Structures are given as C-alpha cells and as structure tokens.
Amino acid sequence: MTAATTITSRTTAEHELAELQREHGAPLFALLLRLSDGDRQRAEDLVQETLVRAWQHPEALRADNFESVRPWLLTVGRRLAIDARRARQARPAEVGDAVLESARVCADHAERSAATLDVREAVKTLTPEHREVLVQVYFRGASVAEAAAELGIPPGTVKSRAYYALRALRRVLPGYAPDLR
C-alpha cells in the first residue's frame, strides 16, 4: 500500500464520518440529550463517542441488511448513555469547595478522649449531692421527677442542684461550652 492510497482511504473515511454527522447527528444528539437529563456537554461527548465507534466499525455501517445506519447509531448511543449513567451512579457524588468550607469539623478520637477525661475530673470536684443529680439527669437521662424519686428529694431541689452543678462545671471547664453561658 502506498502513501497515496493511505491518504485517499483516510480522506474517504473522514468524509463518510462527516456525512454521518450531518445526516444523523441531530436525531442522535436529541436522543442522547434526553438520556443525559438535559446535560448538553455530556450529550455532545456521547455523540462524539458514538461516531468514534462508527469509525472503528465501518463494517457495521456498510451492512446490506438494513436501509439506514441510524438505528445502529441510536442503539450504540443509547448503550453508551446507559453505561455512562451506571458509571456515575457507581462513584460517590462530587462535592465542590464551597461544601467543604462550610462542613462542620468534628473532633477526632484523641480530642474526644481528652475532653472525657477533663469532664470526669471536673465532676469529681463537685459535692456528692450535685454529682448525684448530674449523674441521674444528664448521664442516665432521667427526668427531673424520676431523679427526685430516685434520690428522695423534691423536684425543685433537683433543678437547683443541677443548675449550680452545671455552673460550677462551667467555671472548672472554661472553653468547653461557651454557648451555655
């Protein structure tokens, strides 16, 4: 095969591909735009990939058993769109920089452990009466009435002891709960 034959066959293939684009590009784009949920860029990429597949398989385009290549092109394009959708669904969603900047920063395990130790030491500084109320109400989740019944004191006393215990903890643990002041 000579260089002239190679250039001629390449030019012929390019002309055939350009003709396919002109004749079937608009209906193919319309289908792929629908399958891409209106994303024009994705639809254009899929049209281009479909035409690359047509260029790679010229035997399918020259088959004598059908009158038009449009059904073949639409089928290939549809399958490419389905594959692209499945690939997107298999990957986690992408997030932009704005989402990351507004994301809440969580304390790591070491910071949480250190805070727990600090709170335990601070609770030990409370009087036994205040400590009992805090354990009942905040750590065991008892209501004021349940804590009062368990400790054998009036509900008003449970409330006042809880108030003064929290106030004492705020003084011992500055910076842990500035929003509770």
Side-chain angles (χ1 to χ4, degrees):
M1 185 182 263
T2 65
T5 310
T6 306
I7 291 173
T8 307
S9 64
R10 185 183 312 144
T11 344
T12 305
E14 289 173 1
H15 288 298
E16 289 176 357
L17 200 55
E19 182 63 31
L20 271 177
Q21 164 93 43
R22 279 191 295 278
E23 189 175 337
H24 305 289
L28 181 60
F29 178 74
L31 170 73
L32 295 174
L33 187 62
R34 270 196 325 264
L35 294 176
S36 300
D37 299 324
D39 186 345
R40 295 184 65 82
Q41 183 64 44
R42 188 171 293 135
E44 289 171 1
D45 289 345
L46 290 169
V47 167
Q48 185 176 14
E49 181 63 27
T50 303
L51 292 174
V52 167
R53 298 284 171 97
W55 178 68
Q56 292 172 338
H57 299 283
E59 71 279 358
L61 300 177
R62 292 188 181 91
D64 295 331
N65 52 356
F66 51 86
E67 296 174 13
S68 174
V69 296
R70 186 175 290 177
W72 185 87
L73 288 171
L74 294 177
T75 300
V76 170
R78 183 178 147 274
R79 288 179 180 165
L80 288 171
I82 290 170
D83 290 345
R85 181 180 298 255
R86 286 179 182 159
R88 278 192 317 278
Q89 290 173 344
R91 288 191 308 259
E94 297 178 9
V95 294
D97 292 339
V99 175
L100 293 177
E101 290 172 2
S102 65
R104 185 174 165 216
V105 177
C106 298
D108 64 1
H109 182 67
E111 289 179 19
R112 185 178 296 174
S113 297
T116 301
L117 290 174
D118 289 344
V119 170
R120 282 186 183 170
E121 290 302 314
V123 168
K124 288 179 184 177
T125 64
L126 298 175
T127 64
E129 295 82 16
H130 288 137
R131 191 174 26 245
E132 287 176 338
V133 168
L134 281 185
V135 167
Q136 287 294 320
V137 175
Y138 290 100
F139 297 118
R140 293 194 180 137
S143 67
V144 172
E146 292 169 343
E150 179 71 28
L151 298 173
I153 56 176
T157 305
V158 170
K159 289 179 187 179
S160 69
R161 285 183 183 173
Y163 170 79
Y164 287 111
L166 288 176
R167 193 169 93 175
L169 285 179
R170 281 190 205 106
R171 278 194 304 259
V172 175
L173 297 170
Y176 273 97
D179 57 327
L180 296 177
R181 292 178 192 220

